[in-house]
Every structure is written in structure tokens, then in C-alpha cells.
Amino acid sequence: MKAAVITKYGGLDAFRIQDRPEPRPRAGELKVRMQATSINPIDFKVRKGYMFFLSGFRFPKILGSDFCGIVEACGEGVTGFAVGDEVYGFTNGASQGGASAEVMCCKASVASKKPALLSFEEAAAVPLAASTAYQALTREGGLKSGMKVLVIGATGGVGHYAVQLAAIAGAHVTGVCRSSGVETAKALGCDAVIAYDREDFRRSGQTFDVIFDAAGKSGFGECRSLLNEQGTYVTTIPGPSVMLRRVLTGSKGRKARFVMANSNDTDLSLMRKWCDEGQLKPLIEAVFPLDETRQAYELAESGKTRGKVVIRTSLA
């Protein structure tokens, strides 16, 4: 099979397109004929070596957390899936990956049936980013209808899902993004938008029940004054300061939380339902073929994209 691999930790020049042996499914695993994957920050953090303590030093490595494809074989003990099923999901943990290839194996527990009305490329843009947004808002933020929600990074890979999911839940959504993305943010479901290159959202005079820093760039200290008395700040960056804040803020008053998404059929089935109903739509900046993986990562890491960058892994 063809795969985009890294031969060392480092820059974009670490990528190579190589022939690799096809993996075989072990007990509890699916073998998936891949159709598409999408790039997430965890993927380029692994490539740069930031997660070496989890990802180790065995090379070559195949990156890619999000997967979308067709089940080609089921390992022993797998139930709920059959050969020919169209599936999507993401691998849990920085030490895993494997989606930037024509074939991958994954635990059946991290997979779910693909949204029927989405293309493979569209569905591949959903799993990790949408699950992160959903789990941040609901599990960590306690999102309920009528709440006021602030999404920082409202047009980004995770943020554009957070806006839509908050709107689905019946929240009043304020988005923060560049001025060039204001109309996109409104189309996604924002009731109000603050362009950070024109005004400081921290001086808006508003307060919120949930602040989700989907971009991971504004700390709890900067956002604390924007929270209602029982409000919750959630970030995608589980740094030491946020972990300490989580302990110190406890369950009362203004709280600090972080989200580490896990792939599971319950949440992915909800995403599938909303996608097939047209309520949840992936925003895709660009789609690249597998042999242009380096260029795809270059764009994804530029910080100038709206939504997701997708890689088409099928060469057929």
C-alpha cells in the first residue's frame, strides 16, 4: 500500500510517500480501505516531535488520526460491523495514527458508521474536530439551551463545529475570528461576531456561561472576567496552568477546564445524525491527494485556513 510517512521528527521535509506492508486486523480491530483523512493539530505536533514521550522513536511513522473508508476485514470478536460498511472515526492517543495511507487498522470501538449524505472527504473532516467541540461544550462546559456561549476561533477546524453544535443546542453564540471570516461565522450560526483584528473581545462588556477557546490561544486569566459567576472556560490546550486552575476552581464559581476528546460510537452517531439532517456541516478549506501530503500540512499549519484540510487517501 502507499502511505505518507515521516522518517524523522522535524519539518515538512520529513514526509515521504512509501510502499508499506498492509496491516492485518487483530482481535477487536477493523481493517479499513481508506478513502480520506483530515489534518488536526495533534498530527503536526507528533510530526514535530512535541509528543515524542508518547509516540516514541520508531520510524517510519504514518500520521493521521481521522479516518474514513470502507471495512475490508473484521478481526476476531468484532460485532456491529461487516465487510463493506462505510465507517469513520479517529484513533485515540498521540502514539497512534495510521490514517495517511491506503489501508489502516483500528479498534472497532473508535469507529462508527459514516454519515450517509456526506462524501468520504466531507466525513473525514468531522470525527476528531467535531467530537472535540461536542465534548468540550457538553461534558466540560455543561452546555444547555439558552446559555450564552463564546467560541474563540469560530471559523477554525474545531471552532466551526463548536458554533454549529452550540446553535443546535439552542445557545446564543458569539464567535471570535478574523474580520475576513465574519460572514462565514454568521453563516455557521453565530448570533454575534467579534473580529479580533478590529476589536478586543475581552473588552466587549459581555459575560458568558461558557467560553470555549477552540484556538487554544487565550488563557483562563484573560477570559475569567468574561465569565458569569458560575461560568466555565474550556480550552483545547491541557497545559500545566490550566490543570492547576481546574483543581483550584473546583466545581463552584468560575471554572477552568480542558478537553481531550475520545472517539466513541455514541458521540459519532450523534454527529452522523446531525450531518444527515443538514444541521452539522463540515467546512473544508482544501482537499489534497495523498502524494501532496506535505503541501496539505503546510497549508494546515499556516494558521490561515477556515475549517479543515483533507487528504484523499484512495488512489483509485
Side-chain angles (χ1 to χ4, degrees):
M1 69 174 186
K2 295 289 185 183
V5 307
I6 57 169
T7 55
K8 60 181 179 180
Y9 289 132
L12 294 166
D13 60 349
F15 280 112
R16 300 286 186 274
I17 304 297
Q18 292 184 353
D19 284 308
R20 303 295 301 167
E22 285 194 10
R24 295 181 179 180
R26 294 176 289 187
E29 289 188 339
L30 301 175
K31 179 182 180 181
V32 179
R33 177 64 57 176
M34 286 290 295
Q35 301 298 308
T37 184
S38 72
I39 301 173
N40 296 287
I42 187 66
D43 302 322
F44 46 80
K45 287 177 181 178
V46 170
R47 193 207 74 232
K48 292 177 180 180
Y50 297 165
M51 312 295 290
F52 72 90
F53 52 91
L54 294 174
S55 53
F57 287 92
R58 284 191 176 184
F59 294 97
K61 294 183 184 298
I62 303 174
L63 302 184
S65 304
D66 282 325
F67 62 86
C68 187
I70 302 168
V71 175
E72 197 165 84
C74 297
E76 183 182 353
V78 170
T79 60
F81 295 98
V83 173
D85 283 347
E86 296 180 352
V87 297
Y88 80 144
F90 62 96
T91 55
N92 287 324
S95 61
Q96 301 179 35
S100 297
E102 292 182 284
V103 178
M104 74 171 291
C105 288
C106 65
K107 293 179 180 179
S109 60
V110 303
S112 187
K113 301 293 178 59
K114 165 188 163 293
L117 298 186
L118 297 188
S119 68
F120 285 109
E121 289 85 359
E122 290 170 331
V126 174
L128 178 53
S131 295
T132 298
Y134 178 72
Q135 292 170 24
L137 292 171
T138 59
R139 186 181 68 200
E140 303 298 338
L143 180 65
K144 292 181 177 62
S145 178
M147 282 187 168
K148 293 177 63 178
V149 176
L150 179 72
V151 178
I152 303 171
T155 60
V158 174
H160 85 280
Y161 288 118
V163 169
Q164 295 178 80
L165 291 167
I168 289 171
H172 182 281
V173 189
T174 299
V176 178
C177 63
R178 291 191 192 92
S179 54
S180 59
V182 168
E183 293 307 313
T184 298
K186 289 179 180 178
L188 289 167
C190 284
D191 298 288
V193 184
I194 301 172
Y196 65 75
D197 51 348
R198 291 179 178 172
E199 59 180 306
D200 188 343
F201 71 89
R202 295 164 296 187
R203 298 181 180 178
S204 67
Q206 303 179 63
T207 56
F208 302 91
D209 300 295
V210 180
I211 296 176
F212 179 34
D213 183 10
K217 294 182 178 179
S218 300
F220 176 70
E222 295 178 74
C223 298
R224 189 178 187 279
S225 63
L226 301 180
L227 287 171
N228 292 330
E229 288 187 7
Q230 297 298 320
T232 304
Y233 162 89
V234 187
T235 181
T236 56
I237 306 297
S241 62
V242 175
M243 295 176 75
L244 178 61
R245 292 281 189 182
R246 180 178 185 127
V247 174
L248 294 177
T249 54
S251 59
K252 295 182 179 180
R254 298 178 178 91
K255 299 170 284 293
R257 300 288 185 264
F258 62 86
V259 60
M260 296 185 70
N262 69 85
S263 189
N264 63 84
D265 180 62
T266 299
D267 291 353
L268 290 169
S269 292
L270 273 176
M271 305 303 137
R272 178 174 68 246
K273 173 181 177 290
W274 289 323
C275 286
D276 285 340
E277 290 175 349
Q279 296 188 79
L280 187 65
K281 299 178 181 180
L283 178 62
I284 296 176
E285 176 74 23
V287 179
F288 290 82
L290 184 64
D291 60 4
E292 293 182 12
T293 294
R294 182 189 64 78
Q295 293 93 323
Y297 271 76
E298 184 175 22
L299 176 60
E301 294 176 47
S302 70
K304 299 178 181 179
T305 60
R306 295 182 193 176
K308 301 298 297 293
V309 175
V310 172
I311 298 172
R312 186 182 301 111
T313 53
S314 172
L315 301 181

